[in-house]
Amino acid sequence: MMEEVEQSGEVSLESAATEEETTPPTEVNSNCNHTDNGVTSCPADVTSEVKPEITPEVTMETEQSKDLPETPQKPGGGPVVVQGNNKNAASEKLQRVRKWSITTYKCTRQALAEKLGRGSRTVDLDLEPRLELLKDDRQRYENVTKLAQTLAGQLTQLTVTQKTLADAFGELSVKSPELHVEFGMNAEAHKFLSKSSETLSEAINAFTSDMNTLVNKTIEDTMINAKKYEAARIEYDAYRVDLEELNLGPRDAVTVPKLEKAQKDFQGQREMYQKIRDDLSVKVKLLEENRVKVLHNQLWLLHGAFAAHSLSCHSFLEQNIQQASKHLNNPTADAPSWLEES
């Protein structure tokens, strides 16, 4: 009997081991095993030992930026140390915004003080009068260009009217034999004047085109540089005023670092201001030379176009009148009046 109980106990243990291998581990109760013969086998402190589930080590790969250096992991395991970059993009952006805000505030304060007559400003006695003269010349050149464009438009309209009038005189010359000479003389005169006006209009358009290039491109480019110079001058004066205020104040452990930083910023702004001023001075000199050459040529060409138009029209009209007077002075050409016939 005891052998049967032991055999049945071994069978139950083997079946339990088989179930552990095929099914996931479950909680085991400490109940007794029953056999078919009614004999109960209760092995003392018999429990099915559940082995802990072995989980493989999972390596988590994190995406690291190229700027962050990677420290290799030691063979014995342990935490991985990632060295961060000292320069943070957000911090750099914040510093740039802060610097821009401070500079803008200083420049606005300086410009407002100059307009109110309370602040001092740097004046270049050689460059600034030339810039003022250039601004005045530009306004006058723009006025001349607009007037020339108006004249060219009026000449174009006059040319169209003269052509129409010449055609009308030509038709009347054909339909009126008794006034054939008079109508024909005027038709030829207006036809010639219309052609000469077209040539003069083209010359004026060429003049206005070159003037537009001079005013809207060459001088405008110099004016843009002049605006940059004025902005650099205001910024330079703003840092200069800050440095002067710090120099007038007390010297202690707090103000000395500020004074050194202000001196450094002032030197940087001074170098930038001098560079922009020198570049603008060279550009203004080149512009003055180019302006004189362009205007010298264009003004002579415009004057020559008006002179040629006037002389050609005058000479043609004189010849036309002389030819017409020969026909008018011919007595055989005139028919007798009906009073004379009567």
Side-chain angles (χ1 to χ4, degrees):
M1 181 66 69
M2 292 295 294
E3 293 176 357
E4 292 177 359
V5 172
E6 291 175 358
Q7 291 177 358
S8 63
E10 292 174 359
V11 172
S12 63
L13 289 174
E14 291 176 357
S15 62
T18 305
E19 290 177 359
E20 285 181 0
E21 294 176 357
T22 57
T23 61
T26 57
E27 186 179 357
V28 180
N29 297 326
S30 60
N31 296 328
C32 298
N33 296 326
H34 299 279
T35 60
D36 296 336
N37 295 328
V39 180
T40 305
S41 63
C42 296
D45 298 330
V46 178
T47 59
S48 60
E49 296 179 359
V50 180
K51 296 181 180 180
E53 186 177 0
I54 300 174
T55 57
E57 294 182 357
V58 180
T59 303
M60 301 297 293
E61 295 182 0
T62 59
E63 294 183 356
Q64 297 177 354
S65 62
K66 296 181 180 180
D67 296 334
L68 299 179
E70 181 179 357
T71 303
Q73 188 176 1
K74 297 180 179 180
V80 177
V81 179
V82 178
Q83 297 179 358
N85 193 358
N86 294 329
K87 294 183 179 180
N88 192 357
S91 178
E92 291 180 357
K93 186 176 182 180
L94 183 61
Q95 290 295 330
R96 289 196 299 268
V97 172
R98 181 175 178 272
K99 184 178 179 181
W100 174 83
S101 301
I102 294 173
T103 304
T104 304
Y105 166 74
K106 290 180 179 180
C107 294
T108 304
R109 183 185 62 182
Q110 177 65 24
L112 185 61
E114 290 178 3
K115 289 183 178 180
L116 296 176
R118 299 176 181 176
S120 60
R121 65 185 300 269
T122 303
V123 179
D124 192 328
L125 298 178
D126 179 41
L127 181 60
E128 293 192 8
R130 291 158 62 189
L131 290 176
E132 292 296 329
L133 181 62
L134 184 61
K135 291 179 182 178
D136 183 68
D137 289 341
R138 182 187 181 185
Q139 292 179 354
R140 296 179 184 277
Y141 295 160
E142 287 179 347
N143 186 30
V144 169
T145 304
K146 290 179 181 178
L147 292 174
Q149 289 175 347
T150 303
L151 180 60
Q154 293 173 349
L155 278 175
T156 301
Q157 296 177 356
L158 178 62
T159 300
V160 174
T161 305
Q162 285 177 334
K163 285 182 179 180
T164 307
L165 187 59
D167 294 338
F169 281 143
E171 293 178 358
L172 290 173
S173 176
V174 174
K175 294 181 179 180
S176 303
E178 65 279 6
L179 296 174
H180 173 73
V181 176
E182 289 81 355
F183 281 124
M185 177 183 62
N186 284 276
E188 292 177 359
H190 286 285
K191 187 180 295 184
F192 180 85
L193 290 175
S194 65
K195 291 181 180 180
S196 181
S197 297
E198 287 180 355
T199 305
L200 179 60
S201 179
E202 292 175 358
I204 296 174
N205 287 329
F207 172 78
T208 57
S209 177
D210 290 337
M211 289 296 293
N212 282 323
T213 302
L214 176 64
V215 173
N216 298 324
K217 291 185 179 180
T218 307
I219 298 180
E220 178 64 22
D221 182 62
T222 305
M223 289 293 102
I224 292 174
N225 290 330
K227 291 179 181 179
K228 293 180 181 179
Y229 161 77
E230 183 65 18
R233 198 271 309 162
I234 292 175
E235 190 171 352
Y236 164 74
D237 283 336
Y239 281 92
R240 177 182 57 79
V241 170
D242 285 346
L243 181 61
E244 291 175 355
E245 291 177 355
L246 289 174
N247 284 325
L248 294 176
R251 303 285 181 91
D252 52 17
V254 178
T255 58
V256 169
K258 293 182 179 179
L259 182 61
E260 293 178 354
K261 185 178 183 302
Q263 181 69 31
K264 183 179 179 180
D265 294 339
F266 170 73
Q267 290 296 334
Q269 293 297 329
R270 183 179 182 180
E271 293 176 359
M272 184 184 301
Y273 164 73
Q274 290 178 350
K275 182 179 182 302
I276 295 176
R277 182 192 61 187
D278 294 340
D279 294 341
L280 181 60
S281 179
V282 172
K283 183 163 287 190
V284 169
K285 289 180 180 179
L286 294 175
L287 174 62
E288 290 175 351
E289 295 177 359
N290 186 29
R291 176 181 61 87
V292 171
K293 291 180 181 179
V294 170
L295 290 177
H296 176 77
N297 294 330
Q298 293 302 319
L299 290 173
W300 273 113
L301 290 174
L302 182 64
H303 186 272
F306 276 99
H309 170 73
S310 300
L311 291 175
S312 61
C313 291
H314 177 71
S315 61
F316 177 81
L317 291 176
E318 281 188 346
Q319 293 177 2
N320 194 19
I321 291 175
Q322 291 176 1
Q323 292 177 0
S325 62
K326 292 179 181 180
H327 293 284
L328 293 176
N329 293 328
N330 189 3
T332 59
D334 295 335
S337 174
W338 62 275
L339 293 175
E340 295 177 352
E341 291 178 353
S342 63

